[in-house]
Amino acid sequence: MSSLQALCSGLPLRPLPENRGRQAGVPHAPVRTPGLSPAEKQLALRNSLRYFPPDVQELLAPEFAQELQLYGHIYMYRFCPDIEMRAYPIEQYPCQTKVAAAIMHMIMNNLDPAVAQFPQELVTYGGNGQVFSNWAQFWLTMFYLSKMTEEQTLVMYSGHPLGLFPSSRSAPRLVITNGMVIPNYSSRTEYEKLFALGVTMYGQMTAGSYCYIGPQGIVHGTVLTMLNAARRYLGIEDLAGKVFVTSGLGGMSGAQAKAAVIVGCIGVIAEVDKAALEKRHKQGWLMEVTDSLDRCIQRLREARKKKEVLSLGYHGNVVALWERLVHELDTTGECLVDLGSDQTSCHNPFNGGYYPVQLSFTEAQSLMASNPAVFKDLVQESLRRQVSAINRLAEEKFFFWDYGNAFLLEAQRAGADVEKKGAGRTEFRYPSYVQHIMGDIFSQGFGPFRWVCTSGDPQDLAVTDELATSVLEEAIADGVKVSVKLQYMDNIRWIREAARHRLVVGSQARILYSDQKGRVAIAVAINQAIACRRIKAPVVLSRDHHDVSGTDSPFRETSNIYDGSAFCADMAVQNFVGDACRGATWVALHNGGGVGWGEVINGGFGLVLDGTPEAEGRARLMLSWDVSNGVARRCWSGNQKAYEIICQTMQENSSLVVTLPHKVEDERVLQQALQL
């Protein structure tokens, strides 16, 4: 068993570690089909061997070639560390700076088998959200971090550690880019080749930026989405007896079962992968499981009648579940579902993100590798069937939304009936959850703010929960708008429920939705608690890239921007640069994430609080920019709530000067001008 000291000593070469290959009993990534030519296969092999000196290349070359042949990628399984992979307390890492140790803590959490979807393939979530492209990159990154000083910056090119470069103390210690491919070549087909060559990587959002905190983040987002969906669609605050149907229990989507319980409804979640279903059941996130549709419908009816709180996992394809619900409606006249969505990894539909209803799980995995074209046809047929069933149910009092996983986008590409007459390019028959449910929240500056206690001590997390609750309660007492108060109250409820439901998986982390004022106030309170030793070790602040300013994604985060700029990525890029200029400990910019490769540009940050006045100053400056950038952009696009927030912020801070839009009050001005 390796030690942390050994892990930070560079690539283990003399002797080489034993090649144990793929570990049995753990989930593995689907086989990739990059379609490399013989010359490209040689290039992929050459690229992987350049991490190793010539005296070991002859031994490693055949096994790397075999990995490429069998799995479509060179993961370097021989170098998968023989260590319990988890987020160790920060003081245990052999580093020259606490900042570097904090980054190591975050990296190892992303690869923790309790957290990661496919740990041996370095995939944290989403089916292909990589932390690194191969294990050599992991070893080198840990080595560089152990040597890094406060006057160096580690540069990461799509998983590859380019090296340590001289820098200033005020600069980021780590700068990450993932998937920055020239736009004309940013297609799925090109991606599969480039990833197989080892020259680019899909970092999802927080996988490749080292800021994932397990499924807690999406539990929280789903809780808020469901609460606000109930208000908007059903006109209710209490979800007792209401049924939410969706799919996906692996990776991030595994959070849906727990979210259903927290909001007090009946959640029915379909999952084709038995291992993922059993994992959530053993964790206690799923209350019951069944592989029988008859039993599923029976249990749903019972819970609905008794207004039970229930999370029920159905081991089967969600299309079969939707079609059964249509059958029940057509034969009994009873619509058994109130709210619905989908959390399959539809950003990656033909490589394991979506499984067609016509095949079993194992049949699908086999066909995916042996005949990708036929597999694609079956996936698209399955998408059409799924949409057809949802459309029938939507004729009743049933409401469906797209959860930003590219479901409706891929359904449209498959020829499903999702068109909305007279709509723009980002609109479909059903709204995305940003357009109808969460968009106004983003416009007010609310988004998924999070922190990680690097001590690994649950007591430190309890202190931060207490501090965050106090900050929000004090803000309410001081007086805020009704819409802001509602969000604060939802998040106070969330913090209390999160502790009660034991949502920590991996690092000691918490997430909540907060606006600019709340984020800054919470950061300051945590930093002061570190200074006076109420909290024993530094705390890493971060957020999901899925936030107010972090992501330009026309089918998700920016789908409610209607001035034509939804397909422009200035906001996310400016956010990445702006955070770096204002004190972020590390920054990341990614192609892809959520809705898929080539569909989105997104970025994130990590900021280490260590109890010093300097840390407080960085937090105040950087967090203010990190929110106000996106609110200002939404203001300029014509969002009234964002306009009000920006005007208020400018009154409070004379250093902020934002260009405000003027409305065209008389539409005849446009019509007459266009007639000339």
Side-chain angles (χ1 to χ4, degrees):
M1 177 78 67
S2 297
S3 65
L4 289 176
Q5 186 71 48
L7 210 59
C8 297
S9 300
L11 272 167
L13 298 173
R14 294 176 181 83
L16 288 170
E18 177 189 357
N19 184 12
R20 301 186 305 276
R22 274 194 168 197
Q23 183 182 341
V26 299
H28 289 287
V31 173
R32 302 185 183 279
T33 53
L36 299 183
S37 68
E40 288 168 333
K41 289 178 182 178
Q42 278 200 15
L43 183 57
L45 194 55
R46 181 181 293 112
N47 287 347
S48 66
L49 289 172
R50 61 185 166 178
Y51 287 102
F52 304 94
D55 62 315
V56 298
Q57 289 179 358
E58 187 175 354
L59 174 65
L60 295 176
E63 66 186 57
F64 288 176
Q66 185 180 42
E67 287 186 20
L68 185 61
Q69 180 67 30
L70 292 177
Y71 311 120
H73 189 74
I74 300 171
Y75 297 105
M76 306 183 185
Y77 289 114
R78 177 189 286 269
F79 295 94
C80 183
D82 184 22
I83 190 171
E84 183 186 355
M85 190 68 71
R86 61 181 177 86
Y88 289 85
I90 191 173
E91 70 274 4
Q92 294 185 23
Y93 290 99
C95 292
Q96 297 192 45
T97 72
K98 287 287 187 184
V99 163
I103 296 169
M104 288 181 168
H105 180 94
M106 302 291 281
I107 288 172
M108 292 188 72
N109 184 69
N110 272 25
L111 294 169
D112 182 342
V115 173
Q117 187 178 13
F118 306 126
Q120 274 205 295
E121 288 76 40
L122 303 110
V123 172
T124 300
Y125 70 91
N128 59 353
Q130 304 283 151
V131 186
F132 301 99
S133 180
N134 60 58
W135 284 105
Q137 294 174 348
F138 168 82
W139 283 91
L140 286 174
T141 300
M142 297 295 281
F143 172 73
Y144 284 138
L145 288 170
S146 73
K147 302 299 181 187
M148 186 172 69
T149 71
E150 292 285 359
E151 295 183 339
Q152 290 175 304
T153 293
L154 176 58
V155 176
M156 302 293 299
Y157 279 15
S158 291
H160 169 66
L162 190 66
L164 291 168
F165 292 81
S167 188
S168 68
R169 297 180 70 88
S170 60
R173 297 279 69 81
L174 174 66
V175 176
I176 302 166
T177 51
N178 283 311
M180 293 290 107
V181 172
I182 305 301
N184 276 357
Y185 306 93
S186 187
S187 67
R188 280 182 183 156
T189 302
E190 288 289 342
Y191 168 72
E192 292 298 335
K193 287 192 173 186
L194 293 171
F195 180 58
L197 292 176
V199 296
T200 197
M201 187 181 87
Y202 187 75
Q204 266 284 358
M205 291 191 160
T206 52
S209 65
Y210 319 147
C211 293
Y212 191 61
I213 58 168
Q216 178 187 166
I218 191 66
V219 173
H220 180 238
T222 306
V223 164
L224 292 188
T225 299
M226 292 175 71
L227 289 174
N228 285 288
R231 291 165 183 149
R232 179 176 183 119
Y233 297 135
L234 305 178
I236 59 174
E237 292 285 337
D238 184 1
L239 277 159
K242 300 301 180 183
V243 177
F244 173 59
V245 170
T246 183
S247 55
L249 286 166
M252 293 182 72
S253 58
Q256 298 182 104
K258 180 61 77 173
V261 172
I262 290 174
V263 302
C265 74
I266 300 152
V268 183
I269 307 97
E271 172 58 60
V272 294
D273 184 354
K274 190 174 183 179
L277 187 115
E278 289 178 343
K279 179 179 180 179
R280 298 306 178 197
H281 192 217
K282 288 176 182 176
Q283 284 177 334
W285 288 40
L286 265 180
M287 295 166 66
E288 299 177 20
V289 297
T290 181
D291 59 5
S292 164
L293 267 178
D294 289 341
R295 174 59 181 161
C296 185
I297 296 299
Q298 178 191 1
R299 192 67 189 90
L300 187 161
R301 286 185 187 279
E302 292 171 356
R304 202 161 169 260
K305 184 177 180 180
K306 298 176 182 177
K307 294 190 175 182
E308 288 182 60
V309 175
L310 174 67
S311 58
L312 174 62
Y314 166 59
H315 180 216
N317 197 290
V318 72
V319 181
L321 176 57
W322 284 120
E323 290 179 339
R324 176 60 182 269
L325 289 167
V326 169
H327 173 75
E328 295 297 321
L329 173 61
D330 289 342
T331 56
T332 69
E334 186 178 16
C335 185
L336 295 175
V337 56
D338 302 284
L339 299 171
S341 189
D342 184 277
Q343 275 197 33
T344 53
S345 295
C346 259
H347 67 275
N348 185 35
F350 312 123
N351 286 283
Y354 183 97
Y355 284 81
V357 68
Q358 305 92 324
L359 302 174
S360 70
F361 182 60
T362 53
E363 288 171 342
Q365 287 189 313
S366 176
L367 186 64
M368 191 190 313
S370 64
N371 197 330
V374 172
F375 182 79
K376 179 179 179 179
D377 288 344
L378 291 176
V379 165
Q380 293 191 320
E381 180 188 332
S382 189
L383 283 166
R384 291 192 295 271
R385 284 175 56 179
Q386 182 169 345
V387 168
S388 178
I390 290 167
N391 288 348
R392 171 67 185 95
L393 292 164
E395 294 172 9
E396 308 300 318
K397 195 179 178 183
F398 159 71
F399 300 92
F400 182 89
W401 66 86
D402 183 291
Y403 217 126
N405 60 337
F407 171 72
L408 290 178
L409 179 62
E410 288 302 328
Q412 179 192 53
R413 289 169 176 167
D417 182 12
V418 295
E419 298 296 330
K420 180 180 179 181
K421 292 181 181 178
R425 291 169 66 190
T426 63
E427 295 178 275
F428 297 102
R429 181 171 184 160
Y430 305 103
S432 81
Y433 73 120
V434 172
Q435 287 170 323
H436 264 202
I437 303 169
M438 302 298 280
D440 279 348
I441 294 173
F442 279 176
S443 297
Q444 295 176 80
F446 282 85
F449 180 55
R450 58 179 60 168
W451 59 88
V452 176
C453 299
T454 64
S455 66
D457 187 344
Q459 183 55 41
D460 277 356
L461 183 61
V463 172
T464 64
D465 282 349
E466 179 185 330
L467 292 170
T469 301
S470 296
V471 163
L472 299 183
E473 288 176 338
E474 287 170 14
I476 292 172
D478 289 343
V480 292
K481 286 184 176 181
V482 173
S483 59
V484 173
K485 179 181 178 181
L486 183 64
Q487 297 307 318
Y488 279 169
M489 291 177 65
D490 280 350
N491 280 280
I492 290 168
R493 171 184 172 182
W494 158 256
I495 292 173
R496 291 170 178 154
E497 291 287 340
R500 187 168 70 86
H501 284 275
R502 296 177 295 175
L503 289 174
V504 168
V505 178
S507 57
Q508 294 294 315
R510 184 67 73 229
I511 186 171
L512 56 77
Y513 267 53
S514 186
D515 57 358
Q516 180 179 321
K517 285 184 179 179
R519 296 187 206 205
V520 172
I522 290 168
V524 169
I526 290 174
N527 195 59
Q528 291 173 352
I530 297 169
C532 68
R533 302 296 295 162
R534 277 190 72 194
I535 297 173
K536 294 179 281 299
V539 170
V540 175
L541 299 183
S542 185
R543 58 163 169 74
D544 196 341
H545 298 196
H546 163 67
D547 196 13
V548 182
S549 305
T551 298
D552 283 296
S553 179
F555 296 101
R556 195 162 84 171
E557 285 81 357
T558 48
S559 61
N560 66 333
I561 289 179
Y562 302 111
D563 67 350
S565 70
F567 292 87
C568 301
D570 300 83
M571 180 179 72
V573 176
Q574 287 281 0
N575 221 68
F576 164 79
V577 176
D579 284 352
C581 294
R582 291 171 175 82
T585 307
W586 73 92
V587 288
L589 186 67
H590 297 185
N591 171 9
V595 297
W597 182 263
E599 305 283 0
V600 50
I601 297 293
N602 63 89
F605 73 87
L607 196 159
V608 177
L609 297 178
D610 59 8
T612 62
E614 291 79 11
E616 179 177 321
R618 289 193 297 270
R620 288 183 181 276
L621 192 61
M622 199 223 77
L623 292 174
S624 295
W625 157 256
D626 194 65
V627 176
S628 61
N629 172 36
V631 177
R633 187 266 179 94
R634 286 170 166 78
C635 164
W636 183 247
S637 75
N639 185 283
Q640 183 60 33
K641 289 190 176 180
Y643 182 94
E644 293 168 3
I645 294 292
I646 280 295
C647 289
Q648 179 185 341
T649 308
M650 284 197 290
Q651 289 177 356
E652 297 168 351
N653 184 355
S654 60
S655 296
L656 178 67
V657 183
V658 172
T659 305
L660 298 175
H662 294 285
K663 291 183 178 179
V664 176
E665 299 288 354
D666 188 348
E667 290 292 321
R668 290 176 299 175
V669 171
L670 305 179
Q671 295 164 4
Q672 291 170 3
L674 291 171
Q675 288 172 0
L676 295 177

